[in-house]
Amino acid sequence: MSRLVKASVVNLLPMSSESLLDDPQTWQQYSLPVKASMPGVWASQIVIEGMHCAACAFSLEAALSAVPGVQDVTVNAATHRAKVVWSSSQVQPSAWFSAVERAGYRALPAHDNAQRTARQAESRKALWRLLVACFCMMQVMMYALPAYVAGEGEISPDMTQLLRWASWVLTLPVVLFSCTPFWANAWRDLRLRRISMDLPVALGMAITFVVSSSATFDPQGLFGGEVYFDSLTMFVFFLLSGRWLEWRLRDRTAGALEALMNRLPDSVDRRLPDGQFERVALHRLRAGDVVRVLPGESFPADGEILEGETLAEEALLTGESKPCRRGVGDAVLAGSHNLSSAVTVHISAVGEDTRFSQIVGLMEHAALGKPRLALLADRIAKPFLMLVLLTSGAAVLWWWPVNPAHAMMVAVAVLIVTCPCALSLATPAAMLATAGRLAREGVLVRELQALEALAQIDTVVFDKTGTLTRDAQRLNVLHTPQGTQWPSAFDNSLLALAAALASHSWHPLSRALVAATQDRAAARQVQEFTGLGLEGEVQVSPGGAWSRFRLGSLAFCSPWMGTFELPADAQLCQVHLCDVHGWVASFGLSEDLREGAAEVVAALRQQGLSVWVLSGDRPQAVADIASRLGIAPSQALGGCTPQDKLQRLHQAQAQGRRVLMVGDGLNDGPVLAAAEVSLAFGAAVPLAQSRSDLVMMGGDLNAIPWVLTRARQTLRVVRHNLWWAALYNLIFVPLAWVGWLPAWLAGLGMAASSLWVVLYSLQLARSDAPSSALLKTTPRREAWVVQNN
């Protein structure tokens, strides 16, 4: 079952039902196996309701980690998402769902329709609380106004008391209805002996209401001098306004990733044996089914069009910005949109076997990521809240001898105005906004930390084949011991031998050999040596004997050739085939630069980047590519083994350089792992196998300078957010402590601080297109180009 399926069964039954939660058909819809080597270990994606700050994330992680059988937990306070890694042989989902409930929160499976329904219901409740608080605040302010504007003796004591009673009555709906989330969360914290942002807020509200009620019921008592119903209703209104707006804005930033992930339809028209169509839930779809996709719907799975012709929007999946025409026999991808007319599709792959599933996996990983700056802010949040409580207590002790009522309101202002939420939101809000924006342009962020590192790189390492050059290369010459062959006279038996090994690799050169022939011999025990070639047993003729062959670079094949020296022309070829007896053939392929490659390199050099070529390809081929890109011969090095490339990378890092690797995502694994940031072209590789931090779905190199520019913008916004959050607390907390900040203004300040962070980050969701990034320059960068072979 696919985690992409929005299962109707989950919506029909309550999530507290253990039988439903522990049914493998249910939890496999939002879970994935971690590794083939770890059977029974699953990673489940869930959405958490009731979270408000980083302290909530810490509490949830602690509660889930305490469940036996749960191996790892990651909770992101900005996206309200969690990943739970657990063993099905030790624990069932109902156990850790119950742990979430005991911690005072509610869990929903990711990609579940109930999640969207619950979000809409919670939004309506929040809006009603806000409207009630707004109405009551206006009425209370009307009754409080005479006390502010009337002179001494102009209002009789009886009228003053009447206005207080009226304000008390109008404050009750605010306290009993609008404040219910604060009371519930504060009670949860007290019951579990922990602290979150709602505890000091609720404490401040309770103190204000108790002090004001005491003055209303006993005007001559200890707190009888003044009431603060206007301040209470105002800061409740401001807090609810801030949270509601923050929720709406977060839905446009962090929620942008979720919107992209939920592109599959809930149900689809499936053809019955009699030719009629019935509407079925998506999870009932299987490979081999025939479905009808109407205009405006998304394709539910990968397949092939049987009837009709349409336009398909595939920007997220392939990076192609323009709609693609798809007719009979053409392939369509799950998650792409049918734009123009109804088509009938034969399903070839569903669920985890689709490319869309792999993309969602990357985006989920990004949504759960915690960048270094975000982790630092989260670690500060909980001690900061403890400091808030201690500071408010100190304020009460300081001001009590002067005026007990004033002392309590100073404590309230301190409790309300301090806001670690802005600190916790500063980094993830900006990075998630950027990740959503990049995803809409076909660049998927797998690690949010990569955006922070990307903004600081000063060296870019390019893979040449399939990156600066086109994926599709052409076989234009074949050298054998019998002589040279040209395309019209290729020996298909040799091509079949080479294709048998090449079909086990995703390298562009291997794909070119596979595409050069329809014939293919049988192969077994094939092993790929990264950056060198492939080795395995091939059946030379149908039913014949098996022989061991090598296919790859000259250096890889040379040990099997002995002292034999290849003809000069054959030595210039990129790929060679040999068996245990010696040389069999050499294959010459031609490659073309990608469109815009020279302009991108020039733009990077204009930004201060020095472009290098480190290649496992022939030095002559590397020199040719370098000259066409305007790279100096001294900066174009060929014949490098993977170890040579890694050594070059380490030398650059030893000189203090920070490296970005741009490649095809599979080859040169050590270089990808060693670089500070890696970016892969995802159109030609299985995304689940990609080792890169970012994946570029299309082949437009213009996006690379644009991504660099966006990363620098993001880091700048993050720094501004952190400075704002720190300055806000440094300025307003002392003002509240000395009694210069009324409670209503403290509430406004708290709401505005979090709202500003989210609103300021929202600018990252709107930006220029990748094509205009070439015009932007920033000094002090360097780029290398690295070639796989």
Side-chain angles (χ1 to χ4, degrees):
M1 300 292 288
S2 167
R3 65 192 160 103
L4 299 175
V5 176
K6 304 169 179 67
S8 58
V9 67
V10 176
N11 300 329
L12 296 176
L13 296 177
M15 289 308 301
S16 59
S17 171
E18 292 189 5
S19 59
L20 172 64
L21 288 173
D22 296 340
D23 183 355
Q25 290 191 358
T26 298
W27 55 255
Q28 287 181 13
Q29 296 166 7
Y30 56 91
S31 306
L32 275 178
V34 176
K35 291 181 181 178
S37 59
M38 300 172 63
V41 179
W42 298 82
S44 298
Q45 303 278 346
I46 58 177
V47 176
I48 307 296
E49 291 186 350
M51 289 180 58
H52 296 291
C53 63
C56 298
F58 277 114
S59 299
L60 268 171
E61 288 178 350
L64 286 168
S65 298
V67 178
V70 173
Q71 301 181 1
D72 185 51
V73 180
T74 304
V75 181
N76 191 304
T79 59
H80 294 191
R81 298 176 71 91
K83 181 176 76 172
V84 183
V85 179
W86 55 285
S87 172
S88 59
S89 62
Q90 297 177 282
V91 68
Q92 290 298 306
S94 59
W96 46 267
F97 266 83
S98 298
V100 173
E101 292 182 2
R102 288 193 301 271
Y105 305 93
R106 182 167 181 253
L108 290 172
H111 313 299
D112 181 19
N113 282 339
Q115 173 194 338
R116 283 178 287 176
T117 303
R119 285 166 62 90
Q120 293 171 357
E122 183 59 31
S123 177
R124 286 194 295 269
K125 288 181 182 178
L127 186 58
W128 270 110
R129 294 189 190 103
L130 175 61
L131 292 175
V132 169
C134 178
F135 174 79
C136 293
M137 176 200 68
M138 290 189 295
Q139 298 302 311
V140 170
M141 285 299 299
M142 182 177 67
Y143 293 140
L145 183 61
Y148 288 104
V149 300
E152 186 176 354
E154 292 183 4
I155 302 180
S156 66
D158 291 341
M159 180 57 69
T160 299
Q161 189 64 12
L162 179 62
L163 293 175
R164 287 186 176 187
W165 277 104
S167 298
W168 182 81
V169 171
L170 286 167
T171 303
L172 284 178
V174 177
V175 173
L176 299 178
F177 176 68
S178 297
C179 294
T180 49
F182 302 106
W183 305 135
N185 295 335
W187 172 246
R188 175 195 65 202
D189 293 340
L190 292 173
R191 179 169 50 87
L192 299 175
R193 298 180 180 179
R194 68 184 188 211
I195 185 172
S196 72
M197 191 58 238
D198 281 344
L199 181 58
V201 169
L203 187 57
M205 293 175 179
I207 292 173
T208 305
F209 184 71
V210 169
V211 169
S212 300
S213 297
S214 176
T216 302
F217 285 91
D218 186 10
Q220 306 303 321
L222 182 64
F223 303 115
E226 191 173 353
V227 296
Y228 303 94
F229 294 120
D230 54 337
S231 294
L232 174 59
T233 54
M234 284 181 70
F235 72 65
V236 169
F237 170 71
F238 289 141
L239 289 178
L240 292 177
S241 298
R243 285 199 175 181
W244 189 78
L245 290 172
E246 179 188 328
W247 182 87
R248 298 285 295 181
L249 292 172
R250 183 186 291 172
D251 208 37
R252 295 180 59 186
T253 53
L257 289 177
E258 184 179 323
L260 289 170
M261 289 188 286
N262 290 299
R263 292 167 62 102
L264 295 187
D266 299 329
S267 58
V268 65
D269 290 335
R270 183 173 62 182
R271 181 189 287 176
L272 298 173
D274 61 2
Q276 301 296 315
F277 287 91
E278 67 169 348
R279 199 74 178 175
V280 299
L282 187 60
H283 70 277
R284 295 177 58 188
L285 208 58
R286 296 291 183 272
D289 288 345
V290 176
V291 300
R292 179 177 60 196
V293 182
L294 302 176
E297 293 184 338
S298 296
F299 289 96
D302 291 351
E304 180 180 305
I305 293 181
L306 297 179
E307 301 172 6
E309 182 176 331
T310 188
L311 293 174
E313 184 270 309
E314 302 175 350
L316 176 65
L317 303 164
T318 65
E320 177 58 55
S321 59
K322 297 180 179 179
C324 304
R325 186 168 297 280
R326 295 288 182 258
V328 174
D330 291 337
V332 290
L333 300 174
S336 58
H337 286 295
N338 181 11
L339 299 180
S340 59
S341 59
V343 292
T344 304
V345 179
H346 177 267
I347 300 301
S348 59
V350 298
E352 302 307 321
D353 297 328
T354 64
R355 186 170 183 81
F356 180 72
S357 172
Q358 299 174 9
I359 292 173
V360 168
L362 296 183
M363 298 174 75
E364 284 179 334
H365 191 89
L368 284 165
K370 288 188 177 182
R372 179 181 56 84
L373 291 175
L375 289 173
L376 177 62
D378 287 354
R379 285 194 294 269
I380 293 173
K382 191 170 184 178
F384 184 82
L385 288 172
M386 292 297 298
L387 182 62
V388 168
L389 294 178
L390 294 175
T391 303
S392 63
V396 171
L397 294 176
W398 178 265
W399 286 99
W400 189 272
V402 179
N403 185 336
H406 181 69
M408 299 303 291
M409 294 312 297
V410 168
V412 168
V414 173
L415 289 171
I416 297 296
V417 77
T418 47
C419 185
C421 296
L423 281 171
S424 299
L425 287 171
T427 299
M431 292 194 172
L432 286 168
T434 295
R437 179 69 179 93
L438 293 179
R440 290 194 294 273
E441 294 295 336
V443 181
L444 305 183
V445 180
R446 188 169 178 266
E447 298 284 352
L448 287 182
Q449 175 61 34
L451 293 175
E452 182 182 339
L454 191 63
Q456 301 171 357
I457 63 100
D458 53 24
T459 301
V460 181
V461 179
F462 278 100
D463 165 45
K464 181 175 70 69
T465 302
T467 304
L468 289 173
T469 58
R470 297 185 184 278
D471 286 330
Q473 299 199 45
R474 300 187 306 276
L475 178 62
N476 55 13
V477 64
L478 173 60
H479 297 282
T480 68
Q482 290 74 37
T484 300
Q485 300 178 11
W486 303 101
S488 59
F490 281 157
D491 186 339
N492 282 331
S493 62
L494 291 178
L495 291 178
L497 294 177
L501 294 175
S503 62
H504 291 80
S505 171
W506 281 92
H507 193 281
L509 296 177
S510 297
R511 294 198 301 274
L513 289 176
V514 172
T517 178
Q518 299 295 324
D519 300 329
R520 189 175 305 171
R524 66 187 183 186
Q525 300 178 8
V526 179
Q527 182 180 1
E528 183 172 10
F529 297 85
T530 302
L532 296 173
L534 301 109
E535 179 181 331
E537 293 185 1
V538 180
Q539 194 172 33
V540 178
S541 59
W546 294 79
S547 295
R548 198 154 194 85
F549 286 84
R550 273 191 172 186
L551 179 74
S553 66
L554 182 58
F556 183 60
C557 294
S558 291
W560 287 23
M561 296 183 186
T563 58
F564 178 78
E565 185 174 350
L566 288 180
D569 290 343
Q571 292 183 27
L572 299 178
C573 293
Q574 300 97 320
V575 183
H576 306 271
L577 178 69
C578 64
D579 59 13
V580 293
H581 304 295
W583 177 53
V584 175
S586 295
F587 304 89
L589 300 100
S590 62
E591 56 184 356
D592 297 324
L593 286 175
R594 282 186 182 271
E595 183 180 356
E599 289 80 0
V600 168
V601 171
L604 294 175
R605 295 180 68 177
Q606 189 179 5
Q607 294 180 7
L609 293 162
S610 174
V611 182
W612 284 70
V613 180
L614 297 178
S615 171
D617 201 353
R618 298 167 295 112
Q620 296 91 334
V622 175
D624 176 64
I625 291 294
S627 64
R628 293 161 65 184
L629 291 174
I631 303 171
S634 60
Q635 296 175 314
L637 305 178
C640 297
T641 65
Q643 291 73 23
D644 294 333
K645 300 170 190 175
L646 187 59
Q647 182 180 1
R648 290 282 184 175
L649 178 65
H650 287 160
Q651 288 176 357
Q653 291 172 328
Q655 297 171 4
R657 300 190 180 279
R658 302 182 64 83
V659 179
L660 163 67
M661 170 72 184
V662 183
D664 62 10
L666 285 177
N667 297 290
D668 277 331
V671 180
L672 282 169
E676 279 75 10
V677 191
S678 54
L679 188 154
F681 280 76
V685 300
L687 297 182
Q689 301 179 31
S690 175
R691 303 183 182 99
S692 62
D693 301 311
L694 298 96
V695 177
M696 188 177 297
M697 301 307 301
D700 186 6
L701 291 173
N702 290 335
I704 296 175
W706 179 72
V707 169
L708 289 170
T709 301
R710 293 310 309 279
R712 298 179 200 124
Q713 291 174 348
T714 302
L715 190 59
R716 185 167 59 250
V717 169
V718 167
R719 287 170 176 166
H720 289 173
N721 281 342
L722 290 173
W723 274 109
W724 158 254
L727 287 173
Y728 163 81
N729 285 286
L730 287 174
I731 293 172
F732 283 90
V733 172
L735 290 177
W737 206 91
V738 299
W740 292 355
L741 196 69
W744 68 267
L745 188 56
L748 177 60
M750 178 189 176
S753 62
S754 296
L755 187 60
W756 167 257
V757 166
V758 177
L759 189 62
Y760 187 57
S761 300
L762 191 62
Q763 65 174 300
L764 295 170
R766 306 183 302 268
S767 79
D768 54 347
S771 59
S772 63
L774 294 176
L775 303 177
K776 298 185 177 179
T777 60
T778 301
R780 78 172 201 294
R781 304 281 184 238
E782 178 173 351
W784 292 5
V785 179
V786 172
Q787 155 69 21
N788 285 310
N789 191 35

